[in-house]
Amino acid sequence: MATDSPSFLRLQSRTQRFTLGTPREFQISPDGRRVLFLRSASGTESRNSLLSVDPDTGKETVVVDPAELLGGAEQLTQEERARRERSRTSGAGVVGYATDEQVRIAVFTLSSKLYVADLLDGEIRELPATGPVIDPRPNPTGTHVAYNSGGTLRVIGVDGTGDRALAEPEDGDTDNIAWGLAEFVAAEEMDRNRGYWWSPEGTRLLVQRNDRTAVPRWHIADPANPAKPANTVAYPAAGTTNVTVTLHVLGLDGSRVDVEWDNTTLPYLTTVRWSSAGDPLLALMSRDQTRQVIVSIDPATGASTTRADRSDPHWVDVVPGAPDLTPDNRVVDVAAREGAYRLTIDGEPVTGPDVQVRQVLDVADDVLFTASLDDPTQTHVFTVTPEGRLTQLTDVPGIHSARRGGDTLALTFWSLAQEGPSTVLRRGAARTEINSTALTSGLALNLTLLTVGERDLRCALLLPTGYQPGSGKLPVLLDPYGGPHAQRVLHAANAYLVPQWLADQGFAVLVADGRGTPGRGPDWDRAVHHELAAITLADQVDALHAVAERNPDLDLSRVAIRGWSYGGYLSALAVLRRPDVIRAAVAGAPVTDWTLYDTFYTERYLGHPDANPEVYERNSLLADAPKLGASLLLIHGLADDNVFAAHTLRLSAALLAAGRPHTVLPLSGVTHMNPSDESVAENFMLLQVNWLKHTLGV
């Protein structure tokens, strides 16, 4: 009997936003002969397998099939769920893996158990580790595996012998002490999810120790299940105490060397590298993030040597992949110079002011990196030599990235020409395309990319499929993120699937990236300093008016806005401060009071609340509650441990006190990520659309 095809919303949920089945997490051996990656068996299968591919022939081999190893469903600990929340990982099976230097073995977890796969003979073994296991990593020589369990850093031989603790919480104080784990702000805001690093010879580790004794404890209850105990988390809100981080060199022989580091002046550990190029390299940052010091550490004594010391009156950026070391021990970094993020080697720029470096991918005899040129909606892959010889490796319009090992390069790109990524392996004259099993949405994009206004704001306008210009006025729906750290207007089809679906419900959907969003350089980014609210809202309104001037079919008497996280903040802000323009807002998981958000993100843009109370006041939404002059729907997951539900509840209380009608939708059991259940995810979006239509009179 035939069944109806699933709706777009159900298919989007079932495919995890059409990402299931896409190859990812490439790892290439130094000789370029072995290439590993993760991929699920189909576009609706959430369990990832570990595969290898021969770059010369294109032959694929399944190395690890989690269904064969487990049989049933995975069982995840609270700690593992928290790690996946920080990295926004929603898949199953092998969600991550690590290899030795020569890529001869791979280690991974399933149901918090430790496994090792021999990539030469195909054998897979479960190691008798003390569970539950988190973040296992083999040493470069492939003889031992380190892992975390309950805040203890442990090590075990790849043959399954010698499991022992290298460092464990003193006096069993697991509530406050943890070894070998990245603290919350590192994982959430610094793009650093590791807490230990092997030495090149594989006999020592540089290990992070966290002391969260003084960090405030916040409690997340489950109101739908009152018998369930509240989840207590250590959350460093703006102006409060951070985790105290120290570093220690631990030997497999039981030795210990404490690293000399003034973690009072420089409390943030943003980056760690330990490679054969030299001693461990650390990037340390002041609490106000205006100073970064790069030091090398003598692992025998713990003494540090300063390699670079730079400052910025606003903030110093954390750029993924930087700093690092060249083979001859020179520091590769990315610095804000002459209006651009420029790649530097020992402080000297090797890229020009027309190149906005986005990420350092690999450092060898040359540096592999991604950057944007004159179009921030695109990123391309480049190499540059220490002498400054720049080579662009990609030219097809789109979003490109790469992974390199020896003479093999895995290039991945997203474009407007097709949904999903394409990944091509290059090795000499051989070209191999890695198969993707991802499904496509079936939507036809009715998309126009625009550059508008005096600030050349990048915008994407989506109209209903088949809509003919002049056939009638369309209500407008702004669909931004709009804040620092994230970009929505991209040269990639998958960025516009939800906006196109929204457009097909009868809206002209406008996505705009304003000041603070990536790709435009340090001056553009720093325009939001102390002025998140005023600047980001002004750019959304300016984009709306500029696009409407070009397209008279946009009905400016019926304008709404929706967003999540910072986009939720911006949405609520719009109906509080510009109800003359924005008639309705759906604000999902909004930050409403910046004193409730974490230290690293908030203080970068607004400073310390004790020093800048007026800055926090003018960027908060609570004092604006009496100004609400439009319709507002607030949505929040009650299990959110990033933007706590307190944000929405405090704004709702302020609105109630001011006598301003509004609607609140609590989502039981939902974290900062959207609902994952298929039917809930569909109804979640339909409810928003129906509310918007009713409110705007569509």
Side-chain angles (χ1 to χ4, degrees):
M1 180 177 179
T3 58
D4 294 335
S5 298
S7 67
F8 165 81
L9 294 176
R10 284 181 174 267
L11 191 61
Q12 179 188 233
S13 177
R14 191 177 302 175
T15 61
Q16 294 181 9
R17 296 180 177 270
F18 302 96
T19 61
L20 297 179
T22 60
R24 61 182 185 84
E25 300 291 331
F26 283 84
Q27 186 75 18
I28 306 173
S29 62
D31 61 8
R33 295 179 181 275
R34 282 185 299 283
V35 179
L36 301 180
F37 65 97
L38 301 179
R39 188 185 63 208
S40 60
S42 74
T44 56
E45 171 58 65
S46 63
R47 288 181 298 189
N48 289 290
S49 296
L50 177 63
L51 299 96
S52 67
V53 59
D54 186 321
D56 294 321
T57 66
K59 180 182 178 181
E60 292 184 5
T61 302
V62 176
V63 177
V64 177
D65 182 348
E68 292 183 0
L69 288 178
L70 282 183
E74 290 180 79
Q75 302 297 318
L76 300 180
T77 64
Q78 181 63 35
E79 290 79 8
E80 178 62 20
R81 293 182 190 278
R83 278 178 56 82
R84 296 188 183 191
E85 177 74 17
R86 299 284 72 77
S87 61
R88 307 298 188 259
T89 299
S90 54
V94 185
V95 297
Y97 67 100
T99 71
D100 64 323
E101 185 177 20
Q102 297 300 319
V103 192
R104 294 170 300 192
I105 64 168
V107 300
F108 57 96
T109 61
L110 289 172
S111 283
S112 299
K113 298 177 182 178
L114 177 59
Y115 294 86
V116 59
D118 190 313
L119 302 172
L120 301 183
D121 64 18
E123 181 186 8
I124 301 173
R125 305 186 305 277
E126 180 186 346
L127 300 185
T130 301
V133 174
I134 291 176
D135 192 29
R137 296 179 184 274
N139 63 350
T141 56
T143 60
H144 293 79
V145 179
Y147 65 95
N148 187 279
S149 181
T152 295
L153 186 72
R154 306 186 66 88
V155 67
I156 187 172
V158 294
D159 60 359
T161 64
D163 181 57
R164 64 192 186 279
L166 282 184
E168 53 191 331
E170 296 84 343
D171 301 321
D173 187 7
T174 56
D175 288 338
N176 293 306
I177 307 299
W179 288 83
L181 293 175
E183 75 277 23
F184 175 89
V185 293
E188 184 68 38
E189 310 295 2
M190 301 179 199
D191 197 34
R192 178 174 67 78
N193 57 12
R194 298 178 60 177
Y196 69 89
W197 300 264
W198 280 102
S199 65
E201 79 282 356
T203 60
R204 295 172 294 178
L205 301 99
L206 185 61
V207 183
Q208 171 179 343
R209 177 184 180 273
N210 298 330
D211 184 346
R212 56 185 181 223
T213 303
V215 179
R217 288 333 196 250
W218 288 11
H219 309 279
I220 305 174
D222 184 357
N225 296 282
K228 184 178 178 181
N231 179 31
T232 300
V233 297
Y235 189 84
T240 68
T241 305
N242 277 304
V243 171
T244 299
V245 174
T246 55
L247 285 174
H248 311 268
V249 180
L250 305 181
L252 295 183
D253 59 1
S255 61
R256 169 173 165 170
V257 176
D258 299 334
V259 172
E260 297 178 6
W261 157 32
D262 181 3
N263 60 6
T264 300
T265 303
L266 300 167
Y268 289 130
L269 174 68
T270 62
T271 310
V272 178
R273 299 275 185 269
W274 197 354
S275 68
S276 58
D279 288 339
L281 193 71
L282 315 180
L284 309 170
M285 192 172 284
S286 60
R287 170 86 183 233
D288 65 6
Q289 301 175 57
T290 61
R291 182 184 177 211
Q292 182 193 60
V293 180
I294 299 172
V295 302
S296 58
I297 300 297
D298 182 345
T301 67
S304 62
T305 301
T306 299
R307 303 292 301 271
D309 189 336
R310 59 190 177 94
S311 60
D312 186 286
H314 299 96
W315 66 77
V316 178
D317 297 273
V318 178
V319 178
D324 205 342
L325 289 174
T326 64
D328 58 354
N329 198 244
R330 289 185 284 174
V331 175
V332 176
D333 199 11
V334 178
R337 303 270 188 90
E338 298 176 298
Y341 291 112
R342 302 181 66 179
L343 196 75
T344 64
I345 297 181
D346 270 355
E348 293 299 319
V350 292
T351 57
D354 57 334
V355 178
Q356 300 289 352
V357 177
R358 307 288 287 266
Q359 182 176 9
V360 176
L361 302 172
D362 183 56
V363 178
D365 292 333
D366 58 13
V367 181
L368 184 73
F369 65 97
T370 60
S372 297
L373 298 177
D374 57 346
D375 183 357
T377 71
Q378 300 186 43
T379 59
H380 288 277
V381 178
F382 300 80
T383 60
V384 67
T385 66
E387 298 74 34
R389 187 170 65 252
L390 185 71
T391 302
Q392 184 170 342
L393 302 183
T394 59
D395 54 15
V396 176
I399 304 297
H400 297 254
S401 189
R403 191 67 188 255
R404 182 169 67 177
D407 57 355
T408 299
L409 191 66
L411 286 165
T412 299
F413 79 97
W414 303 72
S415 73
L416 289 175
Q418 65 179 43
E419 289 185 30
S422 294
T423 301
V424 176
L425 298 182
R426 295 183 187 175
R427 185 166 188 262
R431 299 290 187 273
T432 300
E433 183 162 357
I434 304 298
N435 182 45
S436 172
T437 61
L439 298 181
T440 56
S441 68
L443 297 180
L445 297 184
N446 188 0
L447 166 70
T448 305
L449 294 181
L450 301 163
T451 301
V452 302
E454 61 182 17
R455 290 184 291 277
D456 290 336
L457 300 170
R458 265 52 177 197
C459 303
L461 178 64
L462 295 104
L463 302 178
T465 302
Y467 182 82
Q468 297 298 317
S471 60
K473 287 278 192 177
L474 288 170
V476 183
L477 179 58
L478 306 182
D479 187 28
Y481 178 79
H485 241 41
Q487 200 173 350
R488 288 287 310 279
V489 183
L490 298 167
H491 211 86
N494 285 60
Y496 305 109
L497 299 182
V498 171
Q500 183 61 60
W501 179 85
L502 289 167
D504 288 343
Q505 310 314 302
F507 296 94
V509 177
L510 179 62
V511 184
D513 284 342
R515 283 168 287 181
T517 56
R520 300 285 293 270
D523 295 339
W524 180 265
D525 292 344
R526 285 153 177 74
V528 302
H529 188 241
H530 287 188
E531 301 294 345
L532 286 175
I535 295 295
T536 56
L537 178 57
D539 284 351
Q540 293 298 315
V541 174
D542 288 353
L544 169 67
H545 288 151
V547 172
E549 284 184 7
R550 297 190 186 187
N551 192 325
D553 289 350
L554 272 59
D555 185 353
L556 293 185
S557 70
R558 296 183 296 170
V559 179
I561 186 172
R562 69 176 290 273
W564 194 265
S565 196
Y566 192 96
Y569 166 71
L570 193 51
S571 297
L573 182 70
V575 290
L576 290 170
R577 298 193 184 177
R578 293 306 304 268
D580 58 316
V581 176
I582 314 295
R583 311 300 186 194
V586 176
V591 175
T592 67
D593 179 354
W594 287 103
T595 64
L596 293 176
Y597 200 57
D598 74 56
T599 52
F600 193 81
Y601 182 98
T602 309
E603 293 173 14
R604 180 195 307 145
Y605 303 116
L606 302 182
H608 195 286
D610 291 346
N612 301 289
E614 74 287 350
V615 173
Y616 279 74
E617 180 69 19
R618 68 173 178 261
N619 286 281
S620 170
L621 302 184
L622 303 185
D624 288 314
K627 301 176 185 176
L628 181 64
S631 299
L632 174 60
L633 170 60
L634 294 165
I635 305 175
H636 220 117
L638 298 181
D640 197 330
D641 66 351
N642 180 19
V643 181
F644 285 72
H647 285 273
T648 283
L649 296 177
R650 287 191 182 185
L651 179 56
S652 177
L655 292 168
L656 182 62
R660 299 302 183 193
H662 62 285
T663 303
V664 178
L665 174 62
L667 302 175
S668 179
V670 173
T671 65
H672 200 58
M673 296 190 286
N674 284 333
S676 57
D677 179 86
E678 209 172 286
S679 59
V680 174
E682 179 177 47
N683 291 325
F684 173 69
M685 287 295 293
L686 291 175
L687 183 148
Q688 295 178 57
V689 168
N690 291 334
W691 184 88
L692 287 167
K693 286 185 173 183
H694 174 76
T695 302
L696 293 178
V698 176

